[in-house]
Amino acid sequence: MKEIILIKNGELALKGLNRSNFEDILIKNMKRRLNGLGSFTVRKAQSAIYVEPEDESFDFEEALSRVSLIFGIAAFSRACVCKKDMTDILEKSVEYLKPSMENIKTFKVEAKRADKGFPLTSPQICAELGGVLLKSFPHLSVDVHNPDKTVFVEIRDYAAYVRAEQLQGAGGLPVGTAGTASILISGGIDSPVAAWMMAKRGLRLNAIHFASPPYTSPRAEQKVKTLLSKVARYSGCINLAIVPFTEIQDMIAENCPEDYFTLIMRRMMMRISEKIAGNSGGLALITGESLGQVASQTLPALVTTDSVVNLPVLRPLIGMDKEEIVRISRNIDTFETSILPYEDCCTVFTPKHPKTRPTLEQCEKAESGLDVDGLIEKAISETRYTYID
Ligand code: ATP
Ligand code: MG
């Protein structure tokens, strides 16, 4: 008996002429993400995608769990492949459904024919299979309104498929269909969630992290890598740039008024990030900022950070409460890592009274003692790159 994963792609159905291109990107992503699990093929036909193992060695359970995290998939199910022949469908269904029929009392059958040439109509298929299942599992009865389990039969182009209910997929759009952007990633709760949200809308991610050794420890850097590897289960591989930020922070501390430390630091981060993102074809920057959450995230403060870059800054959490953000971070399994207590470069030089209503003019004056271009150039030349998957 041959079992496959049958995939229904989500919003793809809405995308008109782009659809085929989107499906191709989704299939490429799927192949990459299932790599290493054994031999398999992925192909599309009739608005579905099929993952078909080529031999017994394929790790089916792991494949299912990976598929459940791939953006662009609305729903998926495991399904048994039958010949387009009623005898074969009946025989295989009994064997395939046996384990899942043991602990239930009621069921119904639903049939769908994409191939209208099949000799039986949908109601006839339901009646025949229902009858055989009742005979094979005498403890069961049919309940068409509220069954414990629904068995689906799909007659498609090349084969018939028998399956149980679909499982919910990760939704969103295939990563790569919206271009590439760079997430500014700290070790906190917010930025990994922001990364996940934008990957869900089809962006391929690069990441940029500012590290300030010895103020920040190697463990803080490792934490960022762990967070990114959790995001990568959804987004696919992520290129990470680790930017040395110690000298910049020291220069800010020596040469700028204390109440502007955080803002100037953020302006430096944005300038450097724009350059690094641009070097790898990035179309936008992403941050985990949420309006009013801290002093540097008031609207006037965000205006002063945005004003130093030309790339759009995407802030998917801007209108979200901390509670909602935490809920997502638990769901995507980044929360427990995010709350590990390793210091971030932002927490090292936190001013006692940060500016909440800065003007651009004040900001520019406050950073006038810095060699902005020189510091940026040096930081970029000393940036290290690694690859997270
Ligand atoms: P997070 O939980 O993501 O750390 P936060 O609420 O603590 O966010 P800030 O520390 O003010 O907020 O940082 C705001 C945003 O700036 C972060 O969401 C992140 O996108 C970026 N950021 C902060 N620190 C760093 C860093 N060390 N490296 C890269 N980006 C950073
Ligand atoms: Mg932070």
Side-chain angles (χ1 to χ4, degrees), residues 211-222 342-343:
S212 301
Y215 305 120
T216 61
S217 68
R219 285 192 309 182
E221 199 176 300
Q222 185 50 49
Y342 313 138
E343 63 299 307

Coordinates of all heavy atoms in Angstrom, one line a residue, residues 211-222 342-343:
A211 N 26.3 42.8 17.8 CA 26.9 42.2 19.0 C 27.9 43.2 19.6 O 28.7 43.8 18.9 CB 27.5 40.9 18.7
S212 N 28.0 43.3 20.9 CA 28.9 44.2 21.6 C 29.8 43.5 22.6 O 29.7 43.8 23.8 CB 28.1 45.3 22.3 OG 27.4 46.0 21.3
P213 N 30.6 42.6 22.2 CA 31.5 42.0 23.1 C 32.5 43.0 23.6 O 32.9 43.9 22.9 CB 32.2 40.9 22.3 CG 32.2 41.4 20.9 CD 30.9 42.1 20.8
P214 N 33.0 43.0 24.9 CA 32.6 42.0 25.9 C 31.4 42.3 26.7 O 31.1 41.6 27.6 CB 33.9 42.1 26.8 CG 34.3 43.5 26.7 CD 33.9 44.0 25.3
Y215 N 30.7 43.5 26.3 CA 29.5 43.8 27.1 C 28.4 42.7 26.9 O 27.6 42.4 27.8 CB 28.9 45.1 26.6 CG 29.8 46.3 26.7 CD1 30.2 47.0 25.5 CD2 30.4 46.7 27.9 CE1 31.0 48.1 25.6 CE2 31.3 47.7 27.9 CZ 31.6 48.4 26.8 OH 32.5 49.5 26.8
T216 N 28.4 42.1 25.7 CA 27.5 41.0 25.4 C 28.4 39.7 25.3 O 29.5 39.8 24.8 CB 26.7 41.2 24.1 OG1 27.6 41.3 23.0 CG2 25.8 42.4 24.2
S217 N 27.8 38.6 25.7 CA 28.6 37.4 25.7 C 28.4 36.5 24.5 O 27.4 36.7 23.8 CB 28.3 36.6 27.0 OG 27.0 36.1 26.8
P218 N 29.3 35.5 24.3 CA 29.1 34.6 23.2 C 27.7 33.9 23.3 O 27.1 33.5 22.3 CB 30.2 33.6 23.3 CG 31.3 34.3 24.1 CD 30.6 35.3 25.0
R219 N 27.3 33.7 24.6 CA 26.0 33.0 24.8 C 24.9 33.8 24.2 O 23.9 33.3 23.7 CB 25.7 32.8 26.3 CG 26.6 31.7 26.9 CD 26.1 31.4 28.2 NE 26.0 32.6 29.1 CZ 25.6 32.6 30.3 NH1 25.3 31.4 30.9 NH2 25.5 33.7 31.0
A220 N 25.0 35.2 24.2 CA 23.9 36.0 23.6 C 23.9 35.8 22.1 O 22.8 35.8 21.5 CB 24.2 37.5 24.0
E221 N 25.1 35.6 21.5 CA 25.1 35.4 20.1 C 24.5 34.0 19.7 O 23.8 33.9 18.8 CB 26.6 35.5 19.7 CG 26.8 35.7 18.2 CD 28.3 35.9 17.9 OE1 28.9 36.9 18.4 OE2 28.8 35.1 17.1
Q222 N 24.9 33.1 20.6 CA 24.4 31.7 20.3 C 22.8 31.7 20.4 O 22.1 31.0 19.7 CB 25.0 30.7 21.4 CG 24.6 29.3 21.1 CD 24.8 28.8 19.7 OE1 25.8 29.0 19.1 NE2 23.7 28.2 19.1
Y342 N 20.3 36.5 28.8 CA 21.6 37.0 28.3 C 21.4 38.4 27.8 O 20.5 38.7 27.1 CB 22.2 36.1 27.2 CG 22.2 34.7 27.6 CD1 21.9 33.7 26.7 CD2 22.5 34.3 28.9 CE1 21.9 32.4 27.0 CE2 22.5 33.0 29.3 CZ 22.2 32.0 28.3 OH 22.1 30.7 28.6
E343 N 22.3 39.3 28.2 CA 22.2 40.7 27.9 C 22.3 41.0 26.4 O 23.0 40.3 25.6 CB 23.3 41.5 28.6 CG 24.7 41.1 28.2 CD 25.1 39.7 28.5 OE1 24.9 39.2 29.6 OE2 25.5 39.0 27.5

